[in-house]
Amino acid sequence: MGVSERKKREFAQRETDILNCAIELFRTKHPSLVKMDDIAKHLEIGRGTIYLHFKSKDDLMARIQYEDYVRLRARLEKAFEEKTAIEMSRRAIRAYIEHCLGDKHMYVVAKQCGVNLNIENVSDDLRKMLIDERSNRLSLLEKIYKQAKNENLINSRGTYPNVAVAWGMIRGAVEVILDGHFQNEIKSEKAYLETIEHVLFFGLFSGGNKGET
């Protein structure tokens, strides 16, 4: 291995170490309370070394959020292994919930990073990566929606209203678990998942659309 190649690998490894250290610190303290100096101290490197990789803490938080989104999309893409819109939807719902609840701390860290970062202070390249990744996830959801529409399974209210409502309901259902609501009442996560699917696919009340105007 040449000197140049070795330095590239060392640089990449140090960047990974910085990200992992930040995530671990964010697990125990809110991101707003963690300084770049804290990360440098834990890694026993100079603060200036961190800035060789990330121009600001906002850049660092954006990268954490971005990589979490990439992992989520990889899970969602597996929905296209199914043949019908219903099965695609079920697979996507379960993929999202497993992503959030499989590593609850990571989900919370990524969410807090997204809420607290100043997007205007994020490098242009990373900001574009976040925007493109959002578009990629929306594209996946649109494909599932269009498949359902082709199978005459969905209402005529439009792609984005339907996708946004479904996404909001699922995300809210996840937050119920993460925030500790109904801890005593929800005995089974499996039954809870089945309830989420039922409400999304069939509605909250029996009787279909009788109350719709």
Side-chain angles (χ1 to χ4, degrees), residues 79-97:
F80 295 104
E81 296 174 0
E82 307 298 336
K83 297 187 181 302
T84 68
I86 290 291
E87 289 308 310
M88 285 181 189
S89 300
R90 283 200 175 98
R91 186 82 175 264
I93 290 167
R94 293 179 183 190
Y96 177 75
I97 292 174

Side-chain angles (χ1 to χ4, degrees), residues 77-200:
E77 284 174 342
K78 295 185 181 297
F80 295 104
E81 296 174 0
E82 307 298 336
K83 297 187 181 302
T84 68
I86 290 291
E87 289 308 310
M88 285 181 189
S89 300
R90 283 200 175 98
R91 186 82 175 264
I93 290 167
R94 293 179 183 190
Y96 177 75
I97 292 174
E98 287 168 4
H99 173 79
C100 298
L101 300 183
D103 187 345
K104 299 176 184 178
H105 293 298
M106 185 66 243
Y107 171 77
V108 172
V109 166
K111 179 185 174 184
Q112 289 178 337
C113 284
V115 169
N116 286 276
L117 70 85
N118 178 3
I119 195 66
E120 297 302 320
N121 199 33
V122 173
S123 63
D124 292 340
D125 288 347
L126 189 48
R127 192 183 312 162
K128 184 178 185 303
M129 288 165 62
L130 282 171
I131 293 170
D132 289 346
E133 183 55 36
R134 179 180 184 274
S135 296
N136 290 337
R137 292 197 312 281
L138 279 177
S139 178
L140 294 178
L141 299 177
E142 286 172 2
K143 286 180 183 178
I144 296 174
Y145 171 83
K146 288 175 181 177
Q147 176 70 24
K149 192 171 183 180
N150 289 339
E151 295 176 20
N152 296 315
L153 297 174
I154 208 156
N155 63 56
S156 60
R157 288 185 173 85
T159 305
Y160 287 116
N162 280 292
V163 169
V165 167
W167 188 269
M169 289 175 66
I170 298 166
R171 185 168 182 174
V174 166
E175 296 292 338
V176 164
I177 295 294
L178 292 174
D179 291 343
H181 298 301
F182 303 107
Q183 271 188 324
N184 297 325
E185 291 80 9
I186 298 175
K187 304 295 185 183
S188 164
E189 283 196 5
K190 180 177 181 294
Y192 185 62
L193 175 58
E194 291 171 351
T195 302
I196 293 169
E197 292 177 353
H198 180 84
V199 172
L200 278 170

Side-chain angles (χ1 to χ4, degrees), residues 31-86:
S32 64
L33 300 177
V34 177
K35 300 178 180 178
M36 294 295 245
D37 282 332
D38 298 325
I39 299 170
K41 182 178 179 181
H42 272 75
L43 291 174
E44 298 182 342
I45 59 177
R47 185 176 62 174
T49 301
I50 297 179
Y51 288 120
L52 294 175
H53 298 267
F54 305 98
K55 77 168 195 174
S56 66
K57 193 171 83 171
D58 290 300
D59 234 33
L60 176 59
M61 292 191 295
R63 175 71 174 277
I64 290 171
Q65 185 185 41
Y66 168 76
E67 294 196 354
D68 188 66
Y69 283 158
V70 170
R71 289 190 293 270
L72 170 58
R73 178 165 55 86
R75 286 177 177 266
L76 292 174
E77 284 174 342
K78 295 185 181 297
F80 295 104
E81 296 174 0
E82 307 298 336
K83 297 187 181 302
T84 68
I86 290 291

